[in-house]
Amino acid sequence: RAQEGQGRPAIMLRSCPTSAGILLALLGVGYCADFSGAVGGNRLLHAGPRSHAPSHSTAHLLRVASLRGGDQPSLVGKRPVSEDSAAATATPGGPPLLSAQAPLKRIALRGGKAAEEPEPEIDETLYSRQLYVLGHDAMRKMQKSSILLIGLGGLGVEIAKDLALAGVKSLTLHDPQETTPSDFAAQFYLGEADLGIGRAAATVEKLAGLNPHVTIDVLETEVNAEVVARYSLVVCTDRIFGECVRINDACRAQGVKFIMAQTRGVFGHIFVDFGADHEVTDTNGENPAQCLLSHVSSEEVGVVSTLEDTRHNLEDGDLVQISGVQGMEGLETLPPMKVKVLGPFSFSVGDTRGMGEYKGGGTVLQVKQAARMNFKTLRQSLQDPQFTTSDYGKIDRERQLLLGFQALDSFSAQLNGYPRATHEEDHHMILELAQGFNKEIITEDGKIINKPTVDEVDAALMRNLSRVSRAELAPIASVIGSITAQEVMKGVTGKFTPINQHFVFDASEALPDEELSAEEMQGDGGRYDSQILCFGKTVHEKLTNLKYFLVGAGAIGCEVLKNWAMMGVGCGPTGLVHVTDMDTIEKSNLNRQFLFRPSDINKLKSTTAGEKVTDMNPGFKVKTYETRVGSDTEHIFGDDFFDNLHGVCNALDNVQARTYMDQRCVYMQKPLLESGTLGTKGNVQVVIPHLTESYSSSRDPPEKAIPICTLKNFPNAIEHTIQWARDEFEGVYKQGMEDAGAFGTDPEFLVKLKKQPGTSQVTMEQLRDNLVSRRPAAFSDCVVWARLKFEELFTNNIKQLLFNFPLDMTTAAGTSFWSGPKRPPAPLVFDTSDPLHVEFVMSAANLRAYNYSIPQCRDVEAVKAAALDVMVPEFSPQKGVKIQVTEAEAEAAAAGVDVDDMALDKLAASLPPAADVAAMRLTPIEFEKDDDANFHMDYIAACSNLRATNYAIAVASKHETKLIAGKIIPAIATTTAMVTGFVCFELIKLVMAAPIEAYKNAFVNLALPFFAFSEPIAAPSRKFRTWDWSLWSRIDISMGDISLQAFIDHFQKEMNLEVSMISCGVSIIYSAFMTSKKKLEERLPMPMSQLVQSIAKVEIPQSQKYLVLEVCCTDEDDEDVETPYVRMKFRD
């Protein structure tokens, strides 16, 4: 019943705490408790004026502020400001702000949205990998967005870090709660020096150092409706539902988007409200499907067929446009058509009658459709919640956990804290509250304000949630924080599909199966109390004494190190983390690898990361290396090194290194934590000795190679022209110069060249051009060369191709030669008014100048003028020129023909003396994609697009070209952080020696969003007699450096098997049916190590103790028997 008291709205309820708590939470007002009697008895709850919660409290209750004197109602409980608040800059019409940069410049706002602003410039180098995920349009929108983040605990700082890296315009922090030692569990930017300081104020400068393009400031006063209106989006972290309901309502009224995020122990919850009409411009982030046509029928429901080997990858309802069709040009004028899939190579569209008859060619391009989403407010959503599922194996927990989170917040608001792990009455109260939230509540006027959402509340789940609710863990902060940050980006850009609308996650399988004793959960008031509360002292001590090898200190490596430092991994008396990475820091790394700053560019990643992470936890022990992992570094990372490890965590970016580490882990019987990302997609695989398959047990299919004849003569896609341009760059500016250098320094160069029939003639002609006929003496000569190169590549070669295969040519079957995947080309006419033509000459000339150590010229007008003065010889196509049409012809040509020694000798005689060449300052060019001033990408983009113009292929921007030419892996910080959170939970399970069903391999796409977790696949088992063995099994022989005869006898005696073959690596060292009697007599008495060195022609390092041997055997029935590999210890 509403009453008036002391000029403030108040609510008085007489009932059990459950009903009162629910009603107050749903109404969005604060409440406090005055308990009389035992838990569960009748209580009087009064919601009205309340004093501030103590600064050290974990929950700050909502208060209903007075509206007298025109004051704005407070939405978040007012808290003490820091001592520095007097120095905070005042913003006209708004609250004081403490800024880590220059005073904040507020933009004009109307209805919560920014007024027109100039388009912000994008730092292409810094954001290069992220741009391939979001795109330029979304990036520009994000650079105009202003975010208010409430709460700077472990979850809040994770969100703030990811948003700062992503590049929002401004990020305002609100959290005056004073720093305590418990914050060190997950808040990686807080330390001992920050104790007693407001968390936001203590964090702001470190966050500001992440990105110079983002303004980060602190809001020091209360959050009210006027404040909310200043932002594009508001994020509430670890605030109770009552507060969030009020803030969400205020955001809705102002047209501001809203997100709520919470973590409690190993549990997390996110709620998203982007308004009643949110537009999603790109639902999945995938490139539009595109394919070539083979036929289009002319009928009421036209059927479109693609080339035989070209799947269209469309779905029912997709929209497409068709272009480039010969004979049915009218199709190009139609609006996008909706498709119905008939098969992988065909689909139907609308009426194609009257469009003419299909003659050939054509391309289908998917037209991506925008989607609109209608969100409910938090107040509305709690009555009928919708979920984006985090784990389909736990789908029944979604509504249960939402009830649990509401119950925890109700408990916190009443008792000013969360349940105590060792107090059963607290857990019982949480169950009661959850059950209360699961009831229908109707007001006196008949309005339903709460509905039941589950049949029965799961008591065991509520107890687990209650027991760990006071804990804040780094892994869950990484998971929930990164997903929340991605949702923020979706909200302000419209890029990707948002969560609809609740998302709950739990890693309860990482909790101990057995009840922990009070002593086991008792902390010491330090940074690890949360971890001890969840997993116990025993597991915590094991974590701190781990010896782990982290391979890679890039994006994933930085996040892993941060989480491990928060968890105390390696901080114990015998613990140690080894980190290796041979790379140095580049500017493009700074967008994701958050431990690095601009001042760290060109420093080693491993060393720098090790130094930075110890600032987060001074007790973290790390040893860094700058060495790649591979067979050539096993003198560093050898058997002794691995013997001392508990496990390995990969943070790699290539399959080769991943496979090698997987093989080493299988051999050394060590667990492996494997993860990777690709844009918004991420995966985690846990490899456990003797339980699961290994990383190498399954492999992705190889990338489809582009046929040689397609690249050289018949491209039909921009990928073909980009690869062709990339090959041109390598051949002309790198390989050509390297060959010239080798000619000058290697006396055997010509002898070796004659043994390469496929390339010898071309290489000698290129040497003659580079060293004699076209050797430049000044930059003007480079321009002449570049202009003639244009004529050769884009005019003369095309004329020759059309001379060999005229446009009206038909095949033996009577069809047009220029049909299907073959697009008819057209030669280009050089034109200095065409920027693409000029860019080619400009970049080609400057690269040529660099090859010969000639000063470069960046004056475009001077280069244009010089290009116009070049005398271009008339070209006439030649008869007898062979052009390969099929892949077989191309492969035969690549294999070469008989070498004409006389012709080669004649070419060699035209070259200058080798000594003169050696004295030349020739510089081969290594392709570097990330330097915008080196002309590399200028050349490749221009070269590719000119060739695309030849073949009427849509050109690509330099940004798009760089992705393909540089083989760039799109990346964003959110996916990386999320993946490492999953990895850390798997590490905890490994320490606990959990059963296989507790582990989770993860497959995630944040763009959709889609989450899937699965139990690791068990290692396949094979049987030999009574022995079951798998890829983890081996036969250990520790008899010293025994002879071959003794080795064979051992198998016969111990396993009743006859050895028929023994191999070491790629060398067969014994074969019963191939080795001659004489060789057998020589080899049988030889020690195994000597035999291996003799036959394999390798030296065994002194550090190597074992030989790894593969053995083929037969049993007493002369049947082949499969056995594990043999590890033979031949020296101590």
Side-chain angles (χ1 to χ4, degrees):
R1 302 283 178 106
Q3 298 181 354
E4 286 295 319
Q6 300 177 359
R8 296 173 182 267
I11 294 177
M12 185 76 74
L13 290 167
R14 294 180 182 273
S15 180
C16 72
T18 301
S19 300
I22 296 163
L23 182 56
L24 290 165
L26 291 169
L27 291 173
V29 300
Y31 43 92
C32 58
D34 179 15
F35 291 100
S36 57
V39 174
N42 292 332
R43 305 184 180 99
L44 175 68
L45 296 124
H46 176 71
R50 177 184 174 147
S51 61
H52 307 320
S55 61
H56 61 272
S57 171
T58 56
H60 296 277
L61 304 186
L62 195 69
R63 69 183 180 88
V64 181
S66 170
L67 300 179
R68 291 177 299 174
D71 292 341
Q72 291 292 334
S74 170
L75 300 176
V76 176
K78 193 172 182 180
R79 303 177 187 119
V81 297
S82 72
E83 296 177 0
D84 296 330
S85 60
T89 56
T91 306
L97 290 159
L98 177 66
S99 178
Q101 297 184 0
L104 183 66
K105 296 179 181 178
R106 290 293 184 190
I107 55 176
L109 293 143
R110 298 184 183 87
K113 295 182 180 179
E116 286 298 320
E117 299 178 74
E119 287 293 333
E121 291 186 11
I122 297 174
D123 189 332
E124 297 268 353
T125 304
L126 177 64
Y127 297 122
S128 63
R129 306 309 186 260
Q130 180 176 286
L131 282 168
Y132 292 114
V133 181
L134 298 179
H136 284 76
D137 288 343
M139 191 69 217
R140 291 188 188 96
K141 291 178 182 177
M142 191 155 62
Q143 287 187 321
K144 294 180 179 180
S145 66
S146 299
I147 312 299
L148 172 61
L149 174 61
I150 301 171
L152 259 293
L155 174 59
V157 76
E158 186 67 43
I159 297 169
K161 175 206 38 142
D162 290 345
L163 292 179
L165 292 172
V168 296
K169 178 183 179 182
S170 70
L171 177 62
T172 300
L173 314 175
H174 177 74
D175 189 348
Q177 180 173 320
E178 293 178 0
T179 302
T180 66
S182 63
D183 290 316
F184 304 157
Q187 223 287 21
F188 46 85
Y189 280 151
L190 294 178
E192 297 285 341
D194 301 313
L195 290 171
I197 301 175
R199 296 193 298 189
T203 306
V204 63
E205 288 193 15
K206 292 175 183 175
L207 284 170
L210 290 171
N211 192 336
H213 303 296
V214 179
T215 298
I216 302 183
D217 46 65
V218 174
L219 175 65
E220 293 236 301
T221 59
E222 61 205 34
V223 176
N224 55 39
E226 182 183 349
V227 169
V228 164
R230 296 177 176 277
Y231 298 94
S232 313
L233 188 146
V234 175
V235 184
C236 280
T237 68
D238 291 328
R239 290 304 192 266
I240 63 173
F241 279 86
E243 288 183 74
C244 292
V245 165
R246 292 285 302 279
I247 296 173
N248 183 206
D249 288 347
C251 287
R252 261 301 176 101
Q254 300 290 345
V256 176
K257 296 174 171 61
F258 172 82
I259 297 176
M260 171 189 184
Q262 304 168 290
T263 61
R264 305 281 183 255
V266 297
F267 301 87
H269 167 241
I270 301 171
F271 169 78
V272 173
D273 173 18
F274 290 163
D277 186 24
H278 175 72
E279 183 181 36
V280 181
T281 57
D282 183 352
T283 58
N284 58 21
E286 300 296 327
N287 291 325
Q290 185 174 1
C291 57
L292 297 175
L293 302 183
S294 63
H295 188 262
V296 181
S297 68
S298 179
E299 51 188 318
E300 185 175 358
V301 181
V303 176
V304 180
S305 302
T306 65
L307 295 178
E308 284 185 12
D309 60 344
T310 309
R311 291 176 175 268
H312 53 66
N313 295 321
L314 296 169
E315 298 178 1
D316 285 343
D318 283 346
L319 296 179
V320 298
Q321 282 191 315
I322 299 175
S323 61
V325 177
Q326 300 170 29
M328 299 182 78
E329 286 79 5
L331 283 174
E332 299 189 23
T333 64
L334 295 177
M337 298 172 283
K338 187 173 288 187
V339 309
K340 179 176 177 56
V341 174
L342 304 177
F345 306 105
S346 63
F347 57 89
S348 63
V349 291
D351 193 342
T352 56
R353 293 174 297 182
M355 299 288 175
E357 182 180 351
Y358 178 82
K359 295 181 179 178
T363 302
V364 173
L365 178 65
Q366 179 189 9
V367 178
K368 302 201 77 170
Q369 307 171 62
R372 309 201 83 85
M373 296 180 68
N374 180 7
F375 291 86
K376 298 176 183 177
T377 64
L378 179 57
R379 187 190 300 273
Q380 297 165 337
S381 176
L382 289 174
Q383 295 189 46
D384 183 22
Q386 292 178 292
F387 291 86
T388 291
T389 298
S390 65
D391 186 343
Y392 288 92
K394 301 176 182 177
I395 197 168
D396 57 326
R397 293 189 180 186
E398 292 174 342
R399 293 172 181 268
Q400 297 274 357
L401 285 174
L402 183 56
L403 291 172
F405 272 96
Q406 290 175 269
L408 286 174
D409 284 357
S410 179
F411 183 101
S412 172
Q414 295 180 55
L415 296 177
N416 204 22
Y418 289 98
R420 295 159 293 182
T422 58
H423 286 61
E424 287 299 323
E425 63 268 25
D426 289 6
H427 306 325
H428 181 70
M429 185 174 174
I430 290 297
L431 178 59
E432 275 192 338
L433 288 166
Q435 291 168 339
F437 277 107
N438 195 42
K439 294 178 181 178
E440 184 175 79
I441 299 177
I442 305 176
T443 62
E444 289 183 354
D445 59 0
K447 183 179 179 181
I448 299 174
I449 61 171
N450 198 63
K451 296 178 182 178
T453 56
V454 299
D455 294 334
E456 182 179 358
V457 175
D458 186 333
L461 183 61
M462 292 304 117
R463 192 179 188 287
N464 266 346
L465 176 60
S466 176
R467 187 183 75 76
V468 301
S469 60
R470 289 194 173 203
E472 187 173 30
L473 302 174
I476 194 72
S478 288
V479 172
I480 298 300
S482 56
I483 297 172
T484 301
Q486 189 68 60
E487 293 304 305
V488 172
M489 295 182 216
K490 294 176 185 179
V492 298
T493 65
K495 183 84 171 185
F496 308 140
T497 304
I499 287 173
N500 187 28
Q501 286 187 256
H502 292 273
F503 174 88
V504 290
F505 172 84
D506 79 87
S508 54
E509 66 278 354
L511 295 173
D513 289 333
E514 298 181 359
E515 188 74 20
L516 297 176
S517 66
E519 182 183 356
E520 183 72 6
M521 291 186 286
Q522 183 62 48
D524 59 4
R527 65 163 65 233
Y528 303 121
D529 280 8
S530 286
Q531 189 162 276
I532 292 170
L533 176 66
C534 289
F535 309 111
K537 286 182 180 178
T538 302
V539 170
H540 168 68
E541 288 174 2
K542 288 181 179 179
L543 281 167
T544 62
N545 286 300
L546 283 178
K547 297 185 185 73
Y548 245 77
F549 186 24
L550 176 62
V551 188
I556 290 177
C558 285
E559 293 287 344
V560 168
L561 283 171
K562 175 257 293 179
N563 282 352
W564 284 4
M566 296 297 97
M567 296 163 64
V569 174
C571 294
T574 61
L576 182 64
V577 172
H578 301 267
V579 185
T580 189
D581 196 315
M582 62 183 293
D583 288 344
T584 56
I585 299 163
E586 301 174 357
K587 184 178 178 180
S588 63
N589 301 147
L590 305 183
N591 176 238
R592 304 169 316 286
Q593 299 170 25
F594 85 105
L595 293 179
F596 309 138
R597 299 292 181 270
S599 58
D600 298 320
I601 290 174
N602 295 326
K603 294 180 182 178
L604 285 165
K605 287 184 178 181
S606 57
T607 305
T608 308
E611 293 170 354
K612 296 294 180 67
V613 80
T614 52
D615 292 339
M616 297 178 175
N617 183 352
F620 188 68
K621 294 191 294 186
V622 58
K623 183 176 181 180
T624 61
Y625 307 80
E626 52 196 71
T627 310
R628 66 182 295 274
V629 291
S631 57
D632 57 331
T633 59
E634 288 183 6
H635 62 287
I636 299 173
F637 307 123
D639 292 356
D640 288 342
F641 175 82
F642 276 86
D643 276 337
N644 288 317
L645 296 176
H646 289 102
V648 175
C649 180
N650 275 351
L652 293 161
D653 61 359
N654 67 89
V655 173
Q656 182 181 4
R658 283 184 166 108
T659 303
Y660 171 78
M661 288 307 302
D662 178 65
Q663 293 168 348
R664 288 293 285 161
C665 286
V666 170
Y667 172 70
M668 297 303 300
Q669 313 277 286
K670 301 296 180 182
L672 171 66
L673 294 167
E674 168 59 47
S675 61
T677 68
L678 177 65
T680 59
K681 301 167 188 172
N683 74 281
V684 174
Q685 180 182 1
V686 56
V687 178
I688 312 162
H690 306 290
L691 286 182
T692 71
E693 66 176 13
S694 74
Y695 171 80
S696 303
S697 297
S698 59
R699 299 194 181 186
D700 295 332
E703 291 185 15
K704 190 175 181 180
I706 304 172
I708 298 173
C709 59
T710 300
L711 275 180
K712 287 192 170 183
N713 303 307
F714 307 110
N716 55 61
I718 194 65
E719 290 82 3
H720 301 161
T721 66
I722 292 173
Q723 185 59 56
W724 176 83
R726 183 75 173 81
D727 293 345
E728 276 289 313
F729 182 97
E730 288 292 310
V732 173
Y733 303 107
K734 182 176 184 285
Q735 189 61 52
M737 292 297 106
E738 287 179 346
D739 288 341
F743 171 75
T745 57
D746 184 358
E748 299 295 316
F749 177 80
L750 294 178
V751 176
K752 296 174 183 176
L753 188 62
K754 289 182 179 181
K755 297 178 181 178
Q756 303 172 18
T759 60
S760 56
Q761 183 80 20
V762 174
T763 301
M764 287 300 294
E765 290 172 353
Q766 189 177 35
L767 280 172
R768 178 196 59 198
D769 290 347
N770 288 336
L771 298 176
V772 183
S773 59
R774 294 190 178 185
R775 178 187 168 191
F779 186 80
S780 57
D781 298 330
C782 297
V783 175
V784 172
W785 177 88
R787 172 64 185 89
L788 295 177
K789 195 72 175 175
F790 177 98
E791 202 72 13
E792 173 193 341
L793 295 177
F794 310 114
T795 303
N796 299 347
N797 289 352
I798 301 301
K799 289 179 179 179
Q800 183 67 56
L801 183 64
L802 292 173
F803 178 80
N804 283 35
F805 309 108
L807 293 176
D808 58 356
M809 180 176 175
T810 58
T811 66
T815 60
S816 173
F817 176 86
W818 294 105
S819 62
K822 295 186 180 70
R823 304 175 73 108
L828 302 182
V829 177
F830 183 75
D831 182 359
T832 54
S833 66
D834 190 321
L836 203 55
H837 296 202
V838 176
E839 185 173 0
F840 175 84
V841 173
M842 183 79 178
S843 56
N846 275 282
L847 290 172
R848 184 75 167 176
Y850 185 90
N851 278 152
Y852 290 89
S853 301
I854 295 171
Q856 294 176 315
C857 175
R858 297 176 182 270
D859 186 337
V860 177
E861 293 304 318
V863 171
K864 286 169 65 174
L868 283 173
D869 290 340
V870 176
M871 298 295 295
V872 180
E874 188 75 24
F875 175 79
S876 297
Q878 302 295 310
K879 292 183 179 180
V881 176
K882 294 182 179 180
I883 297 177
Q884 293 78 40
V885 177
T886 66
E887 188 66 3
E889 291 175 1
E891 290 175 357
V897 294
D898 293 337
V899 179
D900 186 342
D901 287 338
M902 289 184 63
L904 290 180
D905 290 340
K906 186 177 180 181
L907 283 168
S910 68
L911 301 178
D916 292 352
V917 175
M920 294 180 187
R921 296 167 60 194
L922 302 177
T923 309
I925 299 177
E926 290 285 347
F927 175 62
E928 172 48 60
K929 59 186 178 292
D930 288 322
D931 184 351
D932 293 336
N934 64 8
F935 294 105
H936 297 193
M937 281 309 308
D938 296 321
Y939 175 83
I940 290 175
C943 195
S944 167
N945 285 334
L946 287 169
R947 188 164 175 83
T949 306
N950 279 138
Y951 286 86
I953 298 169
V955 299
S957 68
K958 191 182 297 182
H959 176 74
E960 294 165 333
T961 304
K962 184 193 288 189
L963 175 69
I964 299 170
K967 297 182 179 179
I968 290 174
I969 300 173
I972 192 167
T974 48
T975 315
T976 305
M978 174 194 64
V979 159
T980 56
F982 296 146
V983 166
C984 291
F985 277 123
E986 298 311 302
L987 176 64
I988 293 169
K989 297 172 194 176
L990 286 169
V991 170
M992 296 170 64
I996 189 171
E997 57 269 16
Y999 296 94
K1000 299 288 183 181
N1001 287 347
F1003 308 89
V1004 179
N1005 186 343
L1006 287 175
L1008 300 177
F1010 171 79
F1011 301 83
F1013 296 89
S1014 64
E1015 181 183 312
I1017 298 173
S1021 179
R1022 304 174 188 178
K1023 195 172 185 68
F1024 168 57
R1025 293 176 180 157
T1026 60
W1027 184 21
D1028 290 324
W1029 64 278
S1030 70
L1031 65 94
W1032 294 99
S1033 305
R1034 67 184 178 215
I1035 299 171
D1036 274 310
I1037 299 178
S1038 299
M1039 300 168 60
D1041 198 3
I1042 58 176
S1043 66
L1044 174 60
Q1045 182 68 64
F1047 184 91
I1048 295 171
D1049 292 345
H1050 177 79
F1051 265 76
Q1052 184 69 58
K1053 180 181 178 181
E1054 298 297 327
M1055 288 174 275
N1056 196 24
L1057 293 175
E1058 183 177 343
V1059 176
S1060 56
M1061 184 181 293
I1062 305 171
S1063 62
C1064 182
V1066 297
S1067 301
I1068 297 175
I1069 62 174
Y1070 168 74
S1071 172
F1073 50 86
M1074 291 177 62
T1075 308
S1076 66
K1077 183 178 179 180
K1078 181 180 179 181
K1079 285 187 177 180
L1080 199 57
E1081 289 175 350
E1082 292 175 358
R1083 293 178 181 178
L1084 284 174
M1086 289 176 67
M1088 291 293 285
S1089 65
Q1090 182 182 342
L1091 187 62
V1092 168
Q1093 291 183 96
S1094 171
I1095 296 174
K1097 308 297 183 187
V1098 294
E1099 287 292 326
I1100 299 178
Q1102 284 297 316
S1103 59
Q1104 185 174 331
K1105 298 177 181 179
Y1106 298 93
L1107 294 176
V1108 178
L1109 308 168
E1110 296 286 345
V1111 180
C1112 296
C1113 303
T1114 56
D1115 60 16
E1116 59 270 19
D1117 298 322
D1118 205 29
E1119 294 289 334
D1120 290 338
V1121 175
E1122 276 193 281
T1123 64
Y1125 72 91
V1126 176
R1127 187 176 75 155
M1128 187 190 118
K1129 187 173 184 180
F1130 67 95
R1131 68 160 65 109
D1132 292 327

